[in-house]
Amino acid sequence: MCGIIACAGVKCAAKLLYGGLEDLEYRGYDSAGISVLDKGNIVTVKRKGRVCELKPLVQKLCGSAGIGHTRWATHGKPSDANAHPHSSDRFSVVHNGIIENYAQLKGELAAEGAAFFSATDSEVVVRLLEKYYRGDLKEAVLCTVERLKGAFALCILCSEYEGFVAVRYRNPLIVGEGGGASYAASDMPALSGLCKNVAVLQDGTVAFAKGGEISFCDFKGRPLSLTFAPVPASVRTRGLCGFPHYMIKEINEIPAAVKNTVAAFEEQGCRQALARTAKRRGFSQVVLCGCGTAYNSALAATYGAEELLGIPVRAETAGEFRYRQTSAGAGTLFVAVSQSGETADTVEAARAAKKSGAYVAAVTNVPYSALTSVADIVIPVRAGTEVCVAATKSYCGQIAALALLFGALGGASQYKKAMRDACGAVAMCAKAISDCLSEDAARACASSSCVYFIGRGTDYPVALEGSLKLREVSYIPGEGYPAGELKHGTLALIDGSTLTVAVITQRELSEKVASAVEQICSRGGRAGVVCAEGCAPASLKGRVEFFMEVPACRGMLSPAVAVIPLQLLAYRTAVMLGRDPDKPRNLAKSVTVE
Ligand code: F6R
């Protein structure tokens, strides 16, 4: 959701910023731009399209300080004019977030004679800086942020300041230092190759960076001191390592993601902490929340959890939860699930739950994210940095973390079982990756007008996730359904151009799902099956276009194994159709705006 970066005190700012924007591109890729400060002049290049469009333009740029931006459009379509940075003679600004009162500010500034050159909300920031600048940069910045409503991470260049200013309010921003230079970026992987020490800005912080010196203040101008710490080794990305895309690389990292998540749960003493809290608070319900794939993993975790704990357990999408009167209260364990830990709806849902008295657990892959600062306890997912916009390994890591969380709440023997299941799932995931080649299945998908996914029990949330994955990377329409629901309306859409993929890993439900497939085939629809070993209903042999088999994994880890053929199917279909699976159109990985 837009990536921003800044540097000061470096030899060639443009080259460094360009490299950083490549690392941040997963956050948005419809336009990009860079401003550098060259002998007191701000020079800006920006273009519609991906970061690589900037390459020929940055070659000739000099300067020791600069700012950069890669955009995911919210206000104003992708275009050269709407690309950031937005500049005046004296200032240049990059912004991640949404300025909610921009229309009012724009009206006010225009009435005072300010000219606007874009349709963005962000441009008001540069016009406000001009308005408030009377020779004192700090004063101009503080007066400007006081006027802004919404969410913003900003990096600012001023022609009269040999560095940059960084501002954080409800959108992520990290600063780094080292070797006589200073840096800022939306996330840590973009900084990991540049500096050794980093500090995560908290909401309401302004950083002034000049050479290797950074000073901090709050929005009232009061000095703040921040502690820098080394960049954790886990955030370093190692490139594609010979894989053609991050999506397939990250699917191959699923076994390690599950294994490392299990190890982290133990190392961090999550079991003891959860058991202690459960005893003290006596939870009467568990509410899980997330968006997209994280919601799907949360929903998958509810299956079995209610039987295990004997209290209501439900999952909700965070965007819905945050805006209604919730029943979360002191007896509620609220579990926020988020790969990035920055998804605006999930962070706000966690804040709302906490405000109403719930105990908040954050299940996240990013230990320094906004969600962790809201949570009472952090349950780590150790999937490693996930670069592909489509979440894969983080989903499986979340399933493992949630299984252990419920195991820990269920008592010693349940925890032991969850541990055994999670450890056993590592090899099963590896086998599913190597066995499920899915070329025939991808061909069947690629030639379909619409692909439905069906399942029962825990296979239903897996069907939802398989459908989401295919839609986002291949752009083929479709939906995930509980297998029993298709005949209550959607069967009307089935014809020879549609494909239905049935997920069958629950032996006791296999014949039920098989009859749903029969009903589809009888109406001219085409079908394929993903099943667990020993679950394939004999009646479907010869009736469907493909079978993909995964190891039989019982219990709460089952979705982590069953999802793998569906992730591979989405990946191969996208590649077959010539799509870029790592950067699907219109999407961004970290959704930090509403
Ligand atoms: C789908 C996908 C998204 C995210 C969603 C939540 O592949 O990646 O649906 O799952 O935007 O993101 P996080 O988990 O970062 O909160």
Side-chain angles (χ1 to χ4, degrees), residues 291-294 337-341 343 346 389-391 398 465 468-469 472 589 591:
C291 298
T293 290
V337 186
S338 171
Q339 186 283 130
S340 63
T343 298
T346 310
V389 166
Q398 286 161 2
E465 178 58 9
L468 176 64
K469 218 80 316 176
E472 73 177 319
K589 187 151 188 73
V591 187

Side-chain angles (χ1 to χ4, degrees), residues 3-22:
I4 65 175
I5 185 160
C7 62
V10 299
K11 268 209 188 97
C12 179
K15 200 167 152 220
L16 188 149
L17 293 169
Y18 180 80
L21 288 183
E22 284 185 320

Side-chain angles (χ1 to χ4, degrees), residues 219-381:
F219 283 4
K220 298 273 179 232
R222 292 173 295 221
L224 294 173
S225 70
L226 260 73
T227 313
F228 282 78
V231 179
S234 62
V235 306
R236 292 176 203 276
T237 51
R238 288 175 298 118
L240 283 163
C241 301
F243 287 94
H245 299 100
Y246 280 104
M247 185 169 179
I248 188 69
K249 174 181 182 253
E250 288 165 1
I251 291 172
N252 276 275
E253 289 168 351
I254 286 172
V258 173
K259 189 170 172 215
N260 294 339
T261 298
V262 173
F265 197 90
E266 283 274 282
E267 272 160 35
Q268 298 196 6
C270 298
R271 178 176 74 87
Q272 294 83 344
L274 284 165
R276 266 196 312 272
T277 311
K279 198 166 170 201
R280 186 163 40 89
R281 294 184 67 132
F283 295 124
S284 55
Q285 66 164 346
V286 183
V287 179
L288 297 106
C289 252
C291 298
T293 290
Y295 166 73
N296 291 342
S297 71
L299 183 66
T302 62
Y303 286 78
E306 207 155 270
E307 291 95 299
L308 197 147
L309 300 184
I311 54 173
V313 179
R314 68 174 204 272
E316 273 193 55
T317 57
E320 289 303 307
F321 178 88
R322 64 180 285 201
Y323 285 119
R324 62 183 187 78
Q325 293 296 321
T326 69
S327 53
T332 302
L333 169 62
F334 183 86
V335 184
V337 186
S338 171
Q339 186 283 130
S340 63
E342 298 290 351
T343 298
D345 280 335
T346 310
V347 175
E348 290 310 318
R351 282 203 178 102
K354 187 150 182 185
K355 207 166 156 203
S356 70
Y359 181 80
V360 175
V363 175
T364 182
N365 196 30
V366 181
Y368 50 86
S369 57
L371 190 59
T372 60
S373 61
V374 177
D376 296 298
I377 184 170
V378 176
I379 307 296
V381 172

